[in-house]
Amino acid sequence: MHYNTVIVGGGAGGLELASKLGRALGRREGPEKILLIDRSTFHIWKPTLHEVATGTLNPQQEGLSYSILGRANSFSFMVGELIQFQPEAKRLTLKEVHQSDGVQIIPEREITFERCVLAIGSGSNFFGTPGSEYAYVLENAQDAQAFHSHLLNLFAKAAYSPDKQLNVAIVGAGATGVELSAEMMEAYHEIHSTSGSAQHFQIHITLIEAAPRILAGLPEKVSVQATRALREKHIRVMTDTKVLSIHPDKVETDQGEIAADVIVWAAGIKAAERNREYGLPVNRINQFEVNNRLETPAKGVYALGDCAACPWEEGRFVPARAQAAHQQADYLCKAFLAESKGRPFDQTFHYKDSGSLVSLGNNHGVGNLMGSLSGGNFFIEGLIAKYMYMSLHLMHHKAIIGYRKTALLALARMAQNRVSGRLKLH
């Protein structure tokens, strides 16, 4: 099989690029020239995985089928996992697909291309911490759903245990760790409001961070306000605390042991070790090294999103954020369309930091916006910040399904919450 453009990875950047290219080429050319590959059959916006994990977002309702998106946006989709990549030969191989009982459904496949965009994301960085196998991670929708199922079991177990206690430890107080702790507390309160007093229990959530403050990559004011909000929710915040090892029932730190019935690792990112096998230069965390055109040294091979180490400013690299992947998808779409029409495209990629927003549960958020109308940066919090955070999700949906369907999806979510409640209990 041969395609003009193959995009490996259907995350925020990969899916937006495939959708924009497909729509630009139209129904006659798009499906023949554009192929999107992903290990999953449906798409969940990664920044919402903490909501899937706690049950405050239903993946069956929010998940978007890649095949249906491909039909709507004029690109082809193929389910599969990249196992071999030959950049000089412009060839890649996808792993065979099996049923849960081991029976093969789809055989190993080989695909050739004119150009390929690697958008395969990243995973968790355990920094060599012993016992990492005892911690849950939230790297994809399957991880989040598995954690949600386990969390519901833990809620039920705690409600009928003699001491009626549930201890949760979250390692890493970046955006994922902070949002997960706040959302988990929201889920706990939802559970209490819908169950009888005999099923009530106490939850103790501990957020562990090695840096001097949480949300270390954001302005200090954002960190201070977020810390205050978490403590008001009775979430224990431990900073300047290094995790030494993880055990099935506790986290060992340089400040002592923390009891834990469940542990989530949300500290640091690292791309897949397999990236080192593809004949492309990678950095110490296995990201593909690209130039300011998102090009790898191999002709016709590009990388974007969390798996790409793209130069930014003052020796820094573009951060692994959804807004970066969105901007990179826009840039490559313009570059590829200009190339297909034989027009010169001399622009280089310049990342514009629009600021960051962090969700702290229902009707509460905090963040900073960069380059405001007044020309400076400003801090926002509360309901306004929460609504702006929610709008980012809707903007991503708008890029791949359009205004009308995004509006219908938002209305459907509101109606579902009215009928069955905000929390998914199954």
Side-chain angles (χ1 to χ4, degrees):
M1 288 177 282
H2 180 83
Y3 288 85
N4 177 272
T5 302
V6 174
I7 302 164
V8 186
L15 178 56
E16 286 192 25
L17 177 59
S19 298
K20 290 173 181 178
L21 284 174
R23 289 198 299 267
L25 294 176
R27 295 188 181 277
R28 295 185 63 181
E29 290 186 80
E32 299 297 320
K33 291 187 175 182
I34 310 298
L35 173 67
L36 177 67
I37 299 168
D38 196 87
R39 290 179 296 177
S40 178
T41 57
F42 68 97
H43 170 77
I44 290 284
W45 194 47
K46 193 172 182 179
T48 62
L49 288 181
H50 68 282
E51 296 180 71
V52 176
T54 56
T56 53
L57 186 142
N58 189 336
Q60 280 71 42
Q61 181 182 347
E62 291 288 326
L64 301 174
S65 163
Y66 284 118
S67 295
I68 293 174
L69 290 172
R71 187 163 66 246
N73 292 296
S74 302
F75 64 81
S76 292
F77 170 71
M78 190 177 293
V79 65
E81 180 180 353
L82 183 66
I83 55 171
Q84 291 183 24
F85 190 71
Q86 299 167 273
E88 300 302 328
K90 295 191 173 182
R91 180 184 297 114
L92 60 83
T93 305
L94 299 180
K95 186 179 181 180
E96 66 273 13
V97 179
H98 296 89
Q99 293 179 166
S100 58
D101 59 3
V103 175
Q104 180 179 288
I105 306 172
I106 306 173
E108 187 176 284
R109 293 140 290 161
E110 193 172 85
I111 297 166
T112 57
F113 55 83
E114 296 300 316
R115 59 180 171 233
C116 178
V117 180
L118 297 168
I120 50 184
S122 64
S124 301
N125 191 346
F126 287 97
F127 305 103
T129 304
S132 59
E133 66 272 18
Y134 297 119
Y136 280 82
V137 294
L138 301 181
E139 297 176 1
N140 52 51
Q142 289 74 28
D143 290 339
Q145 288 177 290
F147 178 79
H148 173 58
S149 178
H150 184 59
L151 184 65
L152 289 179
N153 290 336
L154 288 174
F155 282 170
K157 183 179 179 180
Y160 291 97
S161 67
D163 60 357
K164 292 185 175 291
Q165 303 284 326
L166 176 62
N167 296 308
V168 179
I170 300 173
V171 182
T176 299
V178 168
E179 292 178 336
L180 177 63
S181 64
E183 204 71 25
M184 194 177 297
M185 190 59 80
E186 291 287 335
Y188 165 74
H189 288 302
E190 289 273 346
I191 287 277
H192 266 213
S193 68
T194 56
S195 62
S197 59
Q199 298 178 41
H200 285 185
F201 61 93
Q202 294 295 318
I203 190 169
H204 305 285
I205 301 175
T206 302
L207 185 60
I208 308 166
E209 172 57 50
R213 61 183 177 89
I214 69 171
L215 301 171
L218 301 185
E220 187 171 357
K221 187 174 183 180
V222 175
S223 175
V224 169
Q225 291 294 96
T227 301
R228 182 180 298 126
L230 293 178
R231 286 176 173 158
E232 287 175 355
K233 291 175 178 287
H234 305 290
I235 294 169
R236 183 186 182 193
V237 179
M238 296 180 65
T239 54
D240 276 319
T241 304
K242 182 179 180 182
V243 172
L244 303 177
S245 63
I246 299 173
H247 303 269
D249 59 350
K250 65 183 178 182
V251 178
E252 186 180 346
T253 78
D254 59 359
Q255 303 296 319
E257 294 182 352
I258 300 167
D261 298 299
V262 63
I263 302 158
V264 183
W265 188 276
I269 67 163
K270 187 176 184 180
E273 290 290 338
R274 187 178 287 169
N275 291 358
R276 296 184 175 275
E277 304 171 4
Y278 298 151
L280 300 169
V282 297
N283 64 7
R284 61 181 178 81
I285 59 171
N286 304 326
Q287 292 174 312
F288 299 109
E289 295 179 351
V290 298
N291 61 17
N292 57 10
R293 291 178 177 269
L294 304 182
E295 299 167 325
T296 70
K299 184 176 175 58
V301 178
Y302 304 77
L304 66 75
D306 292 4
C307 74
C310 178
W312 185 22
E313 57 185 25
E314 301 174 357
R316 294 187 295 167
F317 292 90
V318 173
R321 295 179 182 171
Q323 62 172 306
H326 167 74
Q327 293 177 33
Q328 290 170 340
D330 271 345
Y331 170 82
L332 285 181
C333 181
K334 293 174 184 176
F336 292 169
L337 291 176
E339 180 184 323
S340 68
K341 295 175 182 178
R343 297 200 308 256
F345 189 80
D346 300 325
Q347 299 176 29
T348 56
F349 175 72
H350 295 283
Y351 171 65
K352 180 181 178 183
D353 189 353
S354 300
S356 299
L357 295 168
V358 179
S359 172
L360 298 174
N362 195 23
N363 297 332
H364 198 180
V366 65
N368 69 304
L369 300 183
M370 311 284 283
S372 64
L373 294 175
S374 61
N377 307 326
F378 66 97
F379 170 84
I380 58 173
E381 62 176 324
L383 195 58
I384 294 176
K386 179 67 176 181
Y387 282 158
M388 293 190 72
Y389 180 91
M390 293 168 60
S391 74
L392 297 178
H393 190 184
L394 297 177
M395 286 171 63
H396 170 66
H397 277 70
K398 186 266 295 180
I400 56 179
I401 62 176
Y403 284 104
R404 181 174 172 274
K405 291 181 180 178
T406 297
L408 289 173
L409 191 66
L411 290 171
R413 183 176 180 182
M414 290 173 60
Q416 180 71 19
N417 289 346
R418 284 293 186 93
V419 172
S420 60
R422 183 167 175 257
L423 189 65
K424 182 174 180 283
L425 294 172
H426 56 281

